[in-house]
Amino acid sequence: MTRQVKRAFKYRFYPTDEQAAELSRTFGCVRLVYNKALEDRTRAWYSEQRRISYAQSSAALTEWKKTEELAFLTEVSSVPLQQALRHLQTAFGNFFAKRAKYPRFKSRKKSRASAEYTRSAFAWRDGKLTLAKMTQPLDIRWSRLLPDRAQPTTVTMSHDSSGRRFVSMLRTCECGAVHDRAVNAARNILAAGPAASACGDGVRPQRESSRTGRSSAKQELQRATAETSRRQAGGKVKLPSTPMHPTPLG
């Protein structure tokens, strides 16, 4: 049975002035849409105990674009804005399921600037990536090659506090191999050289011992044993606390 595995490949890129300006506008619009939708959801929940769905937020976004104040939202690709609403929906789902804390507003200075593009918002031809609203492909520094015939399904653009710009490409592998979940799998594949397949089938992780001198496998076993003992002893899992009403956007 073929098993689909999603793998991400991250690279630095160097945009032109026009591309940098377009990405800067997109980052700002993504942050604004996320925060405005979060403000609406927060107001509805604390004043009426009413939940707002993704569909309702998406409909609200359409109305925002029609206003004179937020008409500039139409100047950037609509896909990253919709993806911001989807991420907010996921955040609320995790909150109500007691898997995470209440979603926070994104800060221009403290939060990582990012924008996610799905297939309808970028072109991938001959190993070159061109985003929506752009006429030229990005200047990507390929620190490692993508597997042959790889087709990215999602690309995420980001900009850190040091001014470095990154693109993360997500692709789906359908090789049928049983992939290892080790975080250092990419390093092991590169170390294996040409003998490794494109997806890393057959490459096992070379786990290093930690500063305690014990292997990672033994540490994981000890943690699992301790967790089981704690639960049997009647320990309670700490659930997220109810958040305070966040400060509305100015």
Side-chain angles (χ1 to χ4, degrees), residues 93-157:
N94 290 333
F95 166 71
F96 287 120
K98 301 184 184 299
R99 292 190 298 265
K101 295 182 179 180
Y102 194 84
R104 296 182 178 181
F105 288 104
K106 292 185 180 294
S107 168
R108 183 174 64 86
K109 295 182 178 181
K110 296 181 180 180
S111 301
R112 183 178 71 107
S114 65
E116 185 176 277
Y117 295 74
T118 55
R119 282 178 174 173
S120 62
F122 67 85
W124 175 259
R125 297 188 183 92
D126 301 324
K128 295 182 178 180
L129 177 67
T130 305
L131 300 178
K133 301 289 185 177
M134 296 185 184
T135 58
Q136 299 179 0
L138 297 175
D139 179 14
I140 301 175
R141 302 304 164 88
W142 301 99
S143 54
R144 54 173 172 159
L145 296 178
L146 284 175
D148 293 339
R149 299 183 298 279
Q151 293 291 332
T153 57
T154 304
V155 296
T156 301
M157 318 305 297

Side-chain angles (χ1 to χ4, degrees), residues 3-240:
R3 174 187 175 190
Q4 291 188 347
V5 179
K6 292 184 178 181
R7 299 179 64 84
F9 297 80
K10 188 175 182 179
Y11 307 93
R12 285 194 67 176
F13 73 97
Y14 297 84
T16 63
D17 292 340
E18 292 78 11
Q19 290 173 338
E22 177 62 30
L23 284 173
S24 180
R25 286 193 295 270
T26 302
F27 291 152
C29 289
V30 166
R31 183 174 59 250
L32 184 149
V33 167
Y34 184 96
N35 286 345
K36 189 169 179 60
L38 174 55
E39 183 181 30
D40 287 352
R41 282 175 174 248
T42 299
R43 185 184 301 111
W45 176 251
Y46 280 99
S47 63
E48 308 171 28
Q49 291 294 296
R50 177 172 59 89
R51 300 187 186 187
I52 295 180
S53 66
Y54 163 77
Q56 291 172 311
S57 293
S58 181
L61 173 59
T62 301
E63 295 303 317
W64 298 341
K65 292 180 178 180
K66 296 178 181 179
T67 65
E68 182 178 355
E69 180 185 4
L70 299 177
F72 61 86
L73 292 176
T74 61
E75 298 176 2
V76 302
S77 172
S78 62
V79 172
L81 306 185
Q82 292 291 342
Q83 290 300 101
L85 296 180
R86 288 189 173 91
H87 291 317
L88 182 60
Q89 176 69 22
T90 300
F92 268 96
N94 290 333
F95 166 71
F96 287 120
K98 301 184 184 299
R99 292 190 298 265
K101 295 182 179 180
Y102 194 84
R104 296 182 178 181
F105 288 104
K106 292 185 180 294
S107 168
R108 183 174 64 86
K109 295 182 178 181
K110 296 181 180 180
S111 301
R112 183 178 71 107
S114 65
E116 185 176 277
Y117 295 74
T118 55
R119 282 178 174 173
S120 62
F122 67 85
W124 175 259
R125 297 188 183 92
D126 301 324
K128 295 182 178 180
L129 177 67
T130 305
L131 300 178
K133 301 289 185 177
M134 296 185 184
T135 58
Q136 299 179 0
L138 297 175
D139 179 14
I140 301 175
R141 302 304 164 88
W142 301 99
S143 54
R144 54 173 172 159
L145 296 178
L146 284 175
D148 293 339
R149 299 183 298 279
Q151 293 291 332
T153 57
T154 304
V155 296
T156 301
M157 318 305 297
S158 60
H159 184 189
D160 66 14
S161 58
S162 300
R164 298 175 300 178
R165 295 176 171 87
F166 297 93
V167 53
S168 180
M169 302 184 187
L170 188 67
R171 64 176 288 269
T172 301
C173 175
E174 298 182 351
C175 63
V178 179
H179 293 266
D180 199 287
R181 296 183 299 171
V183 294
N184 62 348
R187 183 186 64 184
N188 298 321
I189 293 172
L190 292 176
S197 62
C199 63
D201 180 24
V203 178
R204 304 301 300 170
Q206 300 172 359
R207 298 184 183 272
E208 297 178 356
S209 298
S210 66
R211 289 176 296 178
T212 62
R214 295 174 293 178
S215 67
S216 299
K218 289 183 178 180
Q219 293 184 58
E220 292 176 1
L221 178 59
Q222 290 177 353
R223 283 194 294 267
T225 302
E227 177 67 14
T228 301
S229 300
R230 184 180 67 81
R231 291 184 178 181
Q232 291 177 346
K236 296 184 179 180
V237 178
K238 185 178 180 180
L239 297 177

